[in-house]
Amino acid sequence: MSAAEETADGETSAWGEVTPDAARRLLIAAVEAFAERGYHATTTRDIAGRAGMSPAALYIHYKTKEELLHRISRIGNAKALEILRTASRGEGTPTERLADAVSSFVRWHAGGRTTARVVQYELDSLGPDARAEILALRRQVNAEMRGIIEDGVATGEFDVLDVHGTTLAVLSLCVDVARWFNVNGPRTPEEVGALYADLVLRMVGVK
Amino acid sequence: MSAAEETADGETSAWGEVTPDAARRLLIAAVEAFAERGYHATTTRDIAGRAGMSPAALYIHYKTKEELLHRISRIGNAKALEILRTASRGEGTPTERLADAVSSFVRWHAGGRTTARVVQYELDSLGPDARAEILALRRQVNAEMRGIIEDGVATGEFDVLDVHGTTLAVLSLCVDVARWFNVNGPRTPEEVGALYADLVLRMVGVK
DNA sequence: GCCGAAGGTGAGCGGGCGCTTAGCGTGCCC
DNA sequence: GGGCACGCTAAGCGCCCGCTCACCTTCGGC
C-alpha cells in the first residue's frame, strides 16, 4: 500500500473503490476534516484545500457537501458490517466468535478512529433519505451481534437476562471507542480490542 | 417545579442557579437546540426564537454563543460529577456503591438525555481554555469511578485485570447512553440503569 | 493537427451567519 | 413626577458560507 492511501493519523483507508483519483483525494480530505471539526464546522474550501484543489473542483465530483458525507457513511458502515460478519460467521464456539467479533470491531474503531468518528457520530447531519439508508445498515450490524449472543445463550455458554439490552450495550461500548481513543495514548488498538473482548465475555456471563 | 422549568422532552432541568429568568430561558432553549442539531448547526436566531426573544436579546446575557455552551457544559458536568460522588461516597460495600453509581449515572444520562448529549458530545466545540476547564471536571469523574473499582479490588470483591482500562470502559458505556437512548423507546431510564448496573458488576468480576 | 471530452481554475453570487448599535418602553428611587 | 438604569427590539454590518459559471488546459482518437 502506498503512502497516499494513508490518512494523516496513519490509519489505512479502504477507499480504493472510489475513483477517479481526484474524487478519492477529496473524500479522504473530507473524512479528516469532518473527524476533526465535525460536518457543520467544515467548509468546502477546507476540504478542497486539504486535497490541494480549488473549492470549485469539489463540485465536479460531488453534487453537494452532503453527498460527500453520505458516500463516506455508506462505505464506512458497510466496512464495519463486513468486519463484524467475518467474525460472526467464522468457525468456533459462540464464545470464540464473540471475542473475535468484539476485538476486530474495536480494533477498527480505534485504529481507524478518523473514519469511525465520522461514520458513527455524523449520522444526524444526513438528510432523511440518506439517514434511513444508513440506519438499515446499522440494523444489520445489530442483528449480527445479537445473533452471536443468541447462539451462546442457546448452547448454554452465555448467561444473559436481556439479550436485546446486552446487544445494545456491547455495540455501544465498541462504537464509543471512536470517541475517546487517542492514537498517541498509552494503548494500541490491539490492546483495547483484547481488553474489550474480555470485558464483553464477562458481560455475557462466560465462566 | 413549574412547567417552564421542563425542557421539551420532559426532563427536569437543574438550571435553577441561572438568573435572571430571561438568561435561564435562553440557556434552556440553547440546550434543546444544541442537542437536536449540534452546536455548529444551531443559530443564535434559533436559540432566541425558542426563548421567545429577538436575536439581540441573547447578547445582553451572554457575550457570545460559545459562552452559552461553556455555561451549559460546566453546570452539566458539575451535576454529573455530583451524582457520581453522592453514590461513590455513600455507605455500603464497593459492590453496592458501584451498582448505585452506575445506575444513577445512567439514569441521569437517559432521563436528561437532552442535556447529557450537549454535555458529553459538544466538548470539541469549546475553545481551548473552556475545554481545559471541562476536562478537569472529567478527570474528577474518572477518578471517582476508578476509586470505587480500586476499593472493590482491595477488598477482594472485584476481579479486575486493568483498573484504568475497565474504568474507561465503564464510563464510556454510561456516557454513550446519551447517544442512543430514546425517550419514546421501550426502556425507561430506571430499567436501563438496572440493566447497566448488572452488566458493570459482571465486568468487574463480582461473583 | 484538429476536436471534443474530462478535469480543472478564478471570480463571484445570493444568502444566512454571529454580533452590534441606536433607540424605545417600563418601573424604581427620591 | 422627572431621571435614569435596565431589558429588549428593529435594523443592519461585515463576513464567509455553499455553490455556480465562464473559461482554460490537457490529452487520446483519427
Side-chain angles (χ1 to χ4, degrees):
Chain A
M1 130 184 12
S2 78
E5 283 171 354
E6 297 187 8
T7 56
D9 61 38
E11 74 191 66
T12 32
S13 303
W15 306 117
E17 64 183 87
V18 181
T19 53
D21 188 71
R24 182 168 54 247
R25 282 189 291 131
L26 283 164
L27 192 131
I28 292 172
V31 170
E32 292 174 12
F34 292 161
E36 270 178 35
R37 307 206 216 299
Y39 175 77
H40 287 292
T42 298
T43 70
T44 53
R45 284 163 177 82
D46 181 24
I47 297 170
R50 283 172 192 251
M53 295 168 145
S54 76
L58 197 151
Y59 294 90
I60 295 164
H61 301 283
Y62 302 95
K63 233 166 48 98
T64 62
K65 178 178 140 184
E66 197 197 318
E67 193 194 324
L68 261 169
L69 178 60
H70 185 192
R71 288 265 249 267
I72 292 167
S73 259
R74 186 171 43 211
I75 296 175
N77 274 288
K79 184 70 186 166
L81 177 58
E82 183 204 315
I83 287 169
L84 205 51
R85 281 221 166 111
T86 300
S88 148
R89 304 190 172 172
E91 303 199 336
T93 64
T95 300
E96 290 163 351
R97 281 158 51 215
L98 182 58
D100 196 18
V102 168
S103 74
S104 57
F105 202 55
V106 165
R107 278 200 307 272
W108 185 75
H109 279 85
R113 181 187 186 254
T114 303
T115 303
R117 264 200 155 203
V118 179
V119 164
Q120 300 292 0
Y121 290 99
E122 295 290 353
L123 178 65
D124 290 344
S125 303
L126 289 170
D129 292 354
R131 179 159 59 240
E133 187 195 332
I134 302 302
L135 282 173
L137 282 169
R138 297 257 181 119
R139 274 191 293 275
Q140 292 184 63
V141 166
N142 192 297
E144 209 66 40
M145 185 64 85
R146 196 177 60 244
I148 310 178
I149 294 177
E150 283 168 348
D151 288 352
V153 170
T155 67
E157 289 168 53
F158 300 168
D159 168 31
V160 175
L161 295 173
D162 177 349
V163 170
H164 278 82
T166 302
T167 302
L168 208 51
V170 169
L171 284 173
S172 163
L173 195 62
C174 294
V175 162
D176 202 49
V177 168
R179 183 177 56 88
W180 61 260
F181 186 78
N182 179 0
V183 183
N184 305 119
R187 294 163 219 276
T188 65
E190 285 71 26
E191 287 164 355
V192 179
L195 170 65
Y196 270 48
D198 174 60
L199 290 172
V200 167
L201 290 188
R202 290 168 174 234
M203 287 166 75
V204 299
V206 170
K207 277 78 190 170
Chain B
M1 142 180 0
S2 76
E5 282 172 354
E6 297 187 7
T7 56
D9 62 33
E11 75 190 63
T12 34
S13 302
W15 305 116
E17 64 182 87
V18 181
T19 54
D21 189 70
R24 182 168 54 247
R25 281 190 291 132
L26 283 164
L27 191 130
I28 292 172
V31 170
E32 290 174 13
F34 292 162
E36 270 177 37
R37 307 208 217 299
Y39 175 79
H40 286 292
T42 298
T43 70
T44 54
R45 285 162 177 81
D46 181 25
I47 297 170
R50 284 172 192 251
M53 294 167 145
S54 76
L58 197 152
Y59 294 91
I60 294 162
H61 301 283
Y62 302 95
K63 233 165 49 98
T64 62
K65 178 177 139 184
E66 197 198 317
E67 193 194 323
L68 261 170
L69 178 59
H70 184 191
R71 287 266 250 268
I72 293 167
S73 260
R74 186 171 43 209
I75 295 174
N77 274 288
K79 183 71 187 167
L81 177 58
E82 182 204 313
I83 287 170
L84 204 51
R85 280 221 167 114
T86 300
S88 147
R89 303 191 172 171
E91 303 199 337
T93 64
T95 300
E96 290 163 350
R97 281 159 50 216
L98 182 58
D100 196 19
V102 168
S103 74
S104 57
F105 202 56
V106 165
R107 279 199 307 271
W108 185 75
H109 279 84
R113 180 185 186 256
T114 303
T115 303
R117 260 197 158 205
V118 179
V119 164
Q120 299 293 358
Y121 289 99
E122 295 290 353
L123 178 65
D124 290 345
S125 302
L126 289 169
D129 292 353
R131 180 158 61 239
E133 187 196 331
I134 302 301
L135 283 173
L137 282 169
R138 298 256 180 118
R139 273 191 294 275
Q140 293 184 62
V141 167
N142 193 296
E144 209 65 40
M145 184 65 85
R146 195 177 62 244
I148 311 178
I149 295 177
E150 282 169 348
D151 288 351
V153 170
T155 67
E157 289 168 53
F158 299 168
D159 168 31
V160 174
L161 293 174
D162 177 348
V163 170
H164 278 82
T166 303
T167 302
L168 206 52
V170 169
L171 285 173
S172 163
L173 195 61
C174 294
V175 162
D176 203 48
V177 168
R179 183 177 56 90
W180 62 259
F181 186 78
N182 179 359
V183 182
N184 305 119
R187 294 164 220 275
T188 65
E190 286 71 26
E191 287 165 353
V192 179
L195 170 65
Y196 270 48
D198 174 61
L199 289 172
V200 167
L201 290 187
R202 290 168 175 234
M203 287 167 76
V204 299
V206 171
K207 277 77 187 172

